Amino acid sequence: MFRSAVAIWILLYLVISPSIFIICLSEQHPTNLMAAKRKRMSDRVREMFYHAYDNYMMYAFPHDELKPLSKAYTDSLSELGNLKLEHLPQQYNGSALTLIESLSSLAILGNYTEFEKAILWLSENLSFDVDARINLFECNIRVLGGLVSAHILATDSTNRLVQGTYKNQLLDLAEDLGQRFLPAFDTPTGLPYAWINLKHGVMADETTETSTSGCGSLILEMGTLSRLTGDPRFETAALRALRKLWSMRSSLNLLGTTLDVATGNWIEYSSGIGAGVDSFYEYLMKAYVLFGRDEFWKMFQSAYIAVQKYFRHGPWYHEADMRTGKATYWQLTSLQAFWPGLQVQVGDIDAANSSHREFFKVWKQYGVLPERYLLDHQMLHPTEKYYPLRPELAESTFYLYQATKDPWYMEVGESIINSLNAHTRVKGGFASIRDVTTMQLEDHQHSFFLAETCKYLYLLFDDSFLLNQNYIFTTEGHPLPVRRSWHERLPEAYNLSNGSSVKNGEQIKRTSAMSLRVCPAAMIHHESNERRLESACHIPDTRADHRCFSDVDCGLDANTCRRRSCSMAGYCGLWSYI
């Protein structure tokens, strides 16, 4: 009897144990492990977002932004731009800036209840008829962009948002705000003032100084507003300003950083890809995708080639004089970290990865990305040691992962998440860092932490929002859909005169990453190695046989964006990199 029982148990073990073994192996399969990690990390980012959002709603709403250390509020909308302003009137109760900035993030997180509740509150309480002086650029990307993006999401039936209660209230608010922007464009040049009073328009003693970004990064939001309302004035004003700005470029296709809107003269001739200029390049490319005008792509391609030629030094980008192309300041600024993400979108994956890795090295060195780092001295800027919870490195990490599916970028994202929780998280939210060497905190949680930083980190690990969708993100992280009906015509493939060749059977065709509107990395992964796209930065050698007398006769390499040089034997090549 005993032996029979033992035999039965042995038999059962032999039958069941392989199944257990198979289940264990299945649970340890790399695909399952990756899925589990993505779920775990996206849940962490979700929790971070709500920690910041809930504390804002508890201690700062309906004012603009949260002071997480003191659990208080700041009405910062009219303080954006870091200029001294007149005091706000006592009746000004804030614009609920952080709430507006959080709308698209709530939608991406799938919190339809909170999204709807926020829309209804804004519909009933938000007014722009206030005596407040605001920065046009910041109000455009944060408030107008947040409103038009949320309106589109609210009217998209596939997102299951706001069933039956939404009556275009956000679009009405956006149109009202856009109309208050228009007096800023009433200048001799068509370039808008940087500052405008929402109630009274341009004040009598208003400064005429603005930045390249300030007048060249309005086309996405104002163009979208025109497409949604049918009122062309918004897009016309932004487009006129952009065209005027482009006409002011130097013979090198470079622009400065600051200018006078009344005279059209440059004030600061030195520029780079950082503060004051960054989103200008971004909006040229994204405007082409969103609106289908070849004009935008031609501007972008010329500007991009100039950046690669005059600003790039290895993986870094210094600043240079727009008139001569000579280097002026050798420094990294945290805003430059958006550039790899932009390069991904035009197909320069190798160049994007190279710069991104250097930014991440600086992040690892300090725990966060300092505002300014002096490349020539390999040290922090003595006064700009702060980190205000900026999103640019997370943004580029998201784009690089989307293009390559390299799990290393998830490791980068996890490191960013760990750093934010270790160094900036407090009981009342997430605080900025005043000094990255001491990790001394500053009592400010910027609205872009919810609009961008958390959003890009979440999408890195959970991109289900993008499934079967086609969006571009504004410089403030607000999604706008790419719609055929918004194109004046379906864009023709823009065949670059110096583009690359795609081999398809016996047919050779001139093309580029943007003309095909595909991701080159994906094509390399899934198709023959013969079908390799060259990048938008390609500048051919002067002679077809690659003979040269000096470096001037050599161009930029198509696949690496590196400058080719002339050898002693008189041939162009990447000789300095061999």
Side-chain angles (χ1 to χ4, degrees):
M1 187 90 165
F2 175 75
R3 270 182 273 185
S4 299
V6 171
I8 292 172
W9 279 109
I10 291 174
L11 182 61
L12 286 172
Y13 176 77
L14 291 174
V15 171
I16 295 173
S17 61
S19 300
I20 296 174
F21 182 66
I22 291 171
I23 292 171
C24 291
L25 281 180
S26 176
E27 290 176 348
Q28 296 301 315
H29 191 278
T31 303
N32 293 333
L33 290 174
M34 181 62 71
K37 180 174 183 176
R38 291 180 64 139
K39 178 66 166 61
R40 183 174 70 255
M41 296 308 300
S42 63
D43 285 345
R44 285 188 66 189
V45 180
R46 179 187 294 270
E47 189 278 331
M48 288 169 61
F49 173 86
Y50 284 116
H51 180 67
Y53 179 81
D54 290 344
N55 275 285
Y56 162 74
M57 295 300 291
M58 180 175 295
Y59 299 113
F61 176 77
H63 294 270
D64 290 347
E65 293 180 318
L66 171 68
K67 300 175 75 172
L69 299 178
S70 57
K71 296 181 180 178
Y73 64 83
T74 174
D75 284 322
S76 57
L77 178 60
S78 59
E79 297 169 1
L80 300 171
N82 299 319
L83 294 180
K84 185 176 180 181
L85 306 175
E86 66 272 20
H87 294 294
L88 293 173
Q90 291 184 351
Q91 70 270 22
Y92 183 68
N93 293 319
S95 65
L97 175 62
T98 297
L99 182 64
I100 295 171
E101 289 258 71
S102 299
L103 289 173
S104 60
S105 296
L106 289 168
I108 288 173
L109 291 170
N111 192 339
Y112 311 125
T113 300
E114 190 67 18
F115 181 86
E116 181 172 358
K117 188 163 64 174
I119 288 177
L120 292 177
W121 187 92
L122 291 169
S123 303
E124 296 171 0
N125 296 278
L126 183 61
S127 172
F128 297 116
D129 189 27
V130 291
D131 185 9
R133 179 173 176 260
I134 56 93
N135 182 277
L136 177 67
F137 167 74
E138 295 287 358
C139 196
N140 174 71
I141 64 172
R142 298 191 186 202
V143 182
L144 183 60
L147 290 173
V148 295
S149 175
H151 163 75
I152 292 168
L153 292 172
T155 53
D156 185 352
S157 59
T158 63
N159 286 330
R160 298 184 288 115
L161 300 173
V162 195
Q163 298 298 315
T165 60
Y166 183 65
K167 307 296 182 184
N168 295 335
Q169 299 99 315
L170 296 184
L171 182 58
D172 293 340
L173 286 168
E175 186 173 15
D176 176 50
L177 181 60
Q179 290 173 351
R180 295 174 189 274
F181 284 176
L182 291 177
F185 294 85
D186 187 13
T187 65
T189 62
L191 298 168
Y193 285 94
W195 298 86
I196 189 168
N197 186 290
L198 288 176
K199 181 182 282 288
H200 304 296
V202 178
M203 306 305 288
D205 57 348
E206 190 55 79
T207 177
T208 57
E209 182 176 345
T210 190
S211 67
T212 298
S213 289
C215 55
S217 307
L218 307 167
I219 189 64
L220 293 187
E221 294 83 1
M222 297 188 72
T224 296
L225 182 60
S226 284
R227 303 304 167 103
L228 294 172
T229 61
D231 186 340
R233 291 180 299 161
F234 312 113
E235 183 174 358
T236 299
L239 183 57
R240 181 189 177 206
L242 182 58
R243 285 171 172 163
K244 174 60 180 177
L245 184 65
W246 182 243
S247 74
M248 294 167 57
R249 70 193 185 280
S250 72
S251 60
L252 306 179
N253 285 330
L254 296 176
L255 293 88
T257 302
T258 57
L259 57 139
D260 189 298
V261 301
T263 65
N265 296 327
W266 289 104
I267 297 172
E268 176 55 67
Y269 291 98
S270 178
S271 72
I273 59 169
V277 190
D278 50 355
S279 55
F280 164 75
Y281 297 109
E282 179 185 3
Y283 272 36
L284 287 180
M285 192 282 293
K286 291 182 177 179
Y288 169 71
V289 175
L290 193 63
F291 302 126
R293 284 177 177 262
D294 285 344
E295 173 186 12
F296 294 133
W297 173 247
K298 292 175 183 177
M299 289 182 191
F300 173 77
Q301 190 214 4
S302 299
Y304 185 79
I305 290 172
V307 166
Q308 297 300 102
K309 182 176 181 179
Y310 296 107
F311 295 164
R312 185 177 180 183
H313 182 77
W316 299 109
Y317 290 83
H318 57 71
E319 296 179 23
D321 190 307
M322 63 173 284
R323 299 164 295 185
T324 65
K326 293 183 178 180
T328 51
Y329 302 106
W330 292 79
Q331 57 189 3
L332 169 157
T333 62
S334 61
L335 288 171
Q336 292 177 354
F338 91 98
W339 189 255
L342 181 63
Q343 289 184 304
V344 168
Q345 295 171 76
V346 296
D348 285 346
I349 308 298
D350 291 342
N353 173 65
S354 176
S355 295
H356 176 271
R357 287 179 181 269
E358 296 303 319
F359 281 112
F360 185 54
K361 284 180 184 177
V362 178
W363 178 286
K364 293 289 286 184
Q365 180 180 350
Y366 293 100
V368 292
L369 196 62
E371 188 69 4
R372 197 176 297 270
Y373 182 83
L374 304 179
L375 296 173
D376 47 352
H377 299 292
Q378 293 292 295
M379 61 176 285
L380 288 173
H381 189 280
T383 60
E384 297 187 44
K385 303 178 181 179
Y386 53 90
Y387 170 67
L389 306 173
R390 289 204 189 278
E392 284 75 17
L393 184 61
E395 175 186 1
S396 287
T397 303
F398 158 71
Y399 281 117
L400 275 161
Y401 178 74
Q402 285 291 316
T404 67
K405 301 304 179 184
D406 185 339
W408 183 79
Y409 294 109
M410 286 195 177
E411 300 299 323
V412 173
E414 184 174 10
S415 179
I416 294 173
I417 291 167
N418 290 338
S419 292
L420 290 172
N421 280 295
H423 302 305
T424 71
R425 186 182 181 115
V426 296
K427 189 174 181 180
F430 286 85
S432 300
I433 295 176
R434 186 185 301 274
D435 187 335
V436 301
T437 62
T438 63
M439 290 300 174
Q440 177 188 3
L441 297 177
E442 183 175 353
D443 197 10
H444 198 168
Q445 177 182 286
H446 290 272
S447 62
F448 55 68
F449 180 72
L450 292 100
E452 298 182 83
T453 309
C454 289
K455 178 180 290 155
Y456 286 121
L457 288 171
Y458 183 81
L459 288 172
L460 173 63
F461 296 101
D462 184 350
D463 59 1
S464 56
F465 172 78
L466 302 174
L467 186 64
N468 298 322
Q469 300 288 336
N470 195 3
Y471 289 105
I472 58 103
F473 289 90
T474 70
T475 196
E476 195 70 7
H478 298 304
L480 298 175
V482 179
R483 293 176 172 173
R484 182 178 301 183
S485 60
W486 284 12
H487 289 205
E488 294 182 353
R489 56 177 174 75
L490 192 63
E492 297 174 0
Y494 179 61
N495 294 321
L496 303 172
S497 59
N498 61 352
S500 56
S501 298
V502 171
K503 185 175 181 181
N504 186 5
E506 296 301 318
Q507 186 178 8
I508 301 286
K509 177 182 173 183
R510 302 293 285 176
T511 188
S512 73
M514 280 300 297
S515 70
L516 291 182
R517 298 187 292 281
V518 296
C519 173
M523 303 214 40
I524 293 168
H525 285 316
H526 301 299
E527 299 191 25
S528 167
N529 286 334
E530 289 183 327
R531 188 175 173 86
R532 182 177 179 87
L533 299 182
E534 295 176 348
S535 64
C537 69
H538 180 206
I539 301 177
D541 301 330
T542 302
R543 293 175 51 139
D545 60 3
H546 309 295
R547 293 299 301 269
C548 57
F549 294 101
S550 69
D551 289 350
V552 176
D553 298 322
C554 303
L556 284 179
D557 184 69
N559 293 320
T560 66
C561 292
R562 290 172 171 169
R563 182 75 191 180
R564 291 159 63 83
S565 58
C566 189
S567 70
M568 294 181 65
Y571 285 91
C572 293
L574 294 175
W575 309 116
S576 59
Y577 299 98
I578 295 178

